[in-house]
Amino acid sequence: MLRVRCLRGGSRGAEAAHLIGAMLGRSVAGWAQRVFQSTSSAAAAQPRHAAEEEHVTESAPQECPVCSYNEWDPLEEVIVGRAENAHVPPFTVEVKANTYEKYWPFYQKHGGQSFPADHLKKAVAEIEEMCNILRHEGVVVRRPDPIDWSLEYKTPDFSSTGMYAAMPRDILIVVGNEIIEAPMAWRARFFEYRAYRPLIKEYFRKGAKWTTAPKPTMADELYDQDYPIRTVEDRHKLAAQGKFVTTEHEPCFDAADFIRAGTDLFVQRSQVTNYMGIEWMRRHLAPDYKVHIISFKDPNPMHIDATFNIIGPGLVLSNPDRPCRQIEMFKKAGWTVVKPPTPLIPDDHPLWMSSKWLSMNVLMLDEKRVMVDANESSIQKMFESLGIQTVKVNIRHANSLGGGFHCWTTDVRRRGTLQSYFH
């Protein structure tokens, strides 16, 4: 098995870059060199243009700023989302299928408008403090651009307003030195990638591989327009039957339905990720990586990381309310399965886009440090019993927008190697 190590700086960084470029063909430097060699006569005729092109693409970087293989190696650089300008998505069929009935009047009233200003202001402050704490822990923090999400846009197939750039985990996944932009499945998130493009272009120029999955049209055919959800019982029945609001009309997926463990990635079919999207990822990442489909007893599957969160080599948090149907597969592989305690978040706290189980939606800073909700004392004790130090942060108002620490971030660089943890 090939083991690729992320090395940065000096001769060791150059050696790693050379190895990756020579063996995997993923180095921008190697690409640029082959292009210039194959067009040497043209380059000789116009040396100034060749020099300019080399400068623009930064064709000979000593290091790649993007490198992450799993969820727990030492975190060095991370993208943290923005709550600024966040808007409530219009109450369309795909949004209805992913939200709880008690919040439907909220969407009907506020769809296309800003989230409540007071709440949003507190969420912004919480995320700023989270960024400060990450920096204090030695992590480089990057942010998406502020965008006006109130603008209405129209394609040949639909019209919508935007939503936010709060949850980079939903739209970006890093596999090795590659950033993959997910196609998404909500119409309100169609143009969400625009907030991240300046960052991604910067990473690309410095040597990262950049892939954008096929963008769905999000035409009516992608959604079951008559998806029959009225009660929790309806949701359970439909999920058990393998019926979801998204069809197989075209590939779609949110990156947050995938979770990484070295050469193995695990994914669920959900309300926003269909089998065509999973198959696209499987073919794209083969043969270096394997993609495994797993499922849960979950009436409203959307994003895997508050249901099944891998926090270390052979160590996973498995939601006791949403048991994994393939859990014996992990136990046979020698994994330790930990059931987190019941969340402590009060019933009256608004969670417009998620469940209380954001308590297990944690961010590992390394194998022995975890960023966890300051209000969730039960899960803090659980981590301490596992020998993991807790870095406590309060993002209770930011939770209301649909995510915990894992959702609010995408790890760009972790210091580690590509290994197999699942046999």
Side-chain angles (χ1 to χ4, degrees):
M1 177 189 70
L2 176 64
R3 299 179 69 197
V4 179
R5 188 173 184 180
C6 296
L7 302 175
R8 285 165 300 285
S11 60
R12 296 176 69 202
E15 288 169 4
H18 174 75
L19 175 64
I20 294 171
M23 299 187 68
L24 302 181
R26 292 187 175 182
S27 168
V28 169
W31 169 79
Q33 185 178 8
R34 289 192 298 273
V35 170
F36 290 132
Q37 286 176 345
S38 65
T39 58
S40 57
S41 59
Q46 296 179 329
R48 179 178 298 179
H49 294 292
E52 289 174 354
E53 179 68 16
E54 184 175 358
H55 173 72
V56 168
T57 59
E58 299 184 32
S59 60
Q62 289 188 345
E63 60 186 55
C64 178
V66 174
C67 188
S68 182
Y69 296 110
N70 56 50
E71 310 291 340
W72 63 83
D73 278 339
L75 183 62
E76 296 185 339
E77 185 165 337
V78 69
I79 299 172
V80 177
R82 286 190 180 276
E84 289 90 339
N85 306 325
H87 273 60
V88 181
F91 193 54
T92 52
V93 63
E94 74 274 17
V95 173
K96 182 179 181 181
N98 282 279
T99 51
Y100 291 99
E101 185 178 4
K102 69 176 182 177
Y103 292 120
W104 289 351
F106 172 83
Y107 285 93
Q108 290 168 331
K109 180 179 179 179
H110 298 286
Q113 303 173 35
S114 174
F115 281 94
D118 229 22
H119 202 99
L120 208 55
K121 184 178 179 180
K122 292 175 182 176
V124 170
E126 289 171 351
I127 297 304
E128 287 298 328
E129 180 61 12
M130 173 185 164
C131 290
N132 290 335
I133 293 172
L134 281 166
R135 294 184 187 105
H136 180 75
E137 294 293 328
V139 180
V140 175
V141 175
R142 310 299 304 273
R143 311 294 302 277
D145 281 2
I147 296 283
D148 182 0
W149 301 107
S150 68
L151 298 177
E152 185 173 2
Y153 48 84
K154 186 175 183 180
T155 79
D157 298 287
F158 71 91
S159 60
S160 182
T161 49
M163 188 167 141
Y164 55 32
M167 311 293 165
R169 188 75 58 175
D170 297 356
I171 190 169
L172 300 176
I173 183 170
V174 172
V175 182
N177 71 340
E178 178 179 13
I179 303 175
I180 300 174
E181 281 184 34
M184 313 297 284
W186 284 18
R187 288 171 167 175
R189 307 187 76 173
F190 190 85
F191 286 111
E192 192 166 317
Y193 68 87
R194 295 179 63 247
Y196 300 94
R197 277 294 173 87
L199 274 177
I200 297 174
K201 287 189 289 186
E202 175 190 328
Y203 290 135
F204 177 72
R205 291 185 180 111
K206 291 181 178 179
K209 187 175 180 181
W210 170 20
T211 301
T212 300
K215 196 71 175 171
T217 62
M218 296 190 185
D220 288 348
E221 291 83 357
L222 180 59
Y223 312 101
D224 180 352
Q225 301 292 333
D226 300 314
Y227 192 67
I229 49 169
R230 293 171 296 277
T231 65
V232 173
E233 288 73 23
D234 287 341
R235 292 177 185 269
H236 274 289
K237 183 178 179 181
L238 290 162
Q241 294 172 348
K243 294 181 179 179
F244 305 91
V245 71
T246 47
T247 69
E248 298 296 330
H249 175 68
E250 56 190 346
C252 67
F253 65 87
D254 281 12
D257 271 322
F258 292 81
I259 199 152
R260 305 159 304 153
T263 56
D264 296 275
L265 286 82
F266 301 92
V267 62
Q268 65 172 349
R269 205 309 184 183
S270 77
Q271 300 286 21
V272 292
T273 296
N274 64 13
Y275 289 119
M276 285 189 75
I278 295 171
E279 182 60 22
W280 183 91
M281 277 286 279
R282 190 200 304 276
R283 296 184 196 181
H284 178 72
L285 293 174
D288 298 326
Y289 300 88
K290 294 179 181 178
V291 175
H292 309 265
I293 300 175
I294 55 178
S295 61
F296 308 89
K297 189 179 179 182
D298 184 355
N300 190 39
M302 178 183 176
H303 302 165
I304 200 170
D305 49 2
T307 300
F308 197 79
N309 196 357
I310 304 173
I311 60 171
L315 182 61
V316 62
L317 300 182
S318 184
N319 190 322
D321 281 359
R322 307 168 190 163
C324 176
R325 295 187 176 96
Q326 295 81 18
I327 199 64
E328 290 303 318
M329 175 175 73
F330 293 92
K331 292 180 179 179
K332 288 179 180 178
W335 284 37
T336 300
V337 179
V338 178
K339 295 181 180 179
T342 302
L344 302 177
I345 191 167
D347 289 338
D348 61 354
H349 184 77
L351 290 172
W352 297 303
M353 295 188 175
S354 60
S355 76
K356 293 183 179 183
W357 283 104
L358 291 178
S359 59
M360 63 174 282
N361 187 257
V362 296
L363 177 68
M364 301 304 295
L365 305 184
D366 55 41
E367 283 187 49
K368 296 299 180 182
R369 288 183 301 157
V370 61
M371 183 166 279
V372 65
D373 195 308
N375 304 286
E376 295 286 343
S377 57
S378 297
I379 202 167
Q380 291 167 23
K381 292 176 182 176
M382 182 209 76
F383 280 115
E384 289 162 6
S385 72
L386 294 170
I388 299 173
Q389 175 189 346
T390 57
V391 178
K392 304 173 185 66
V393 186
N394 176 30
I395 58 166
R396 185 57 47 96
H397 292 85
N399 287 156
S400 301
L401 300 184
F405 299 106
H406 199 255
C407 295
W408 275 92
T409 58
T410 286
D411 41 304
V412 173
R413 189 172 66 255
R414 290 183 181 269
R415 186 173 66 253
T417 60
L418 177 60
Q419 299 182 43
S420 174
Y421 304 96
F422 185 72
H423 305 285

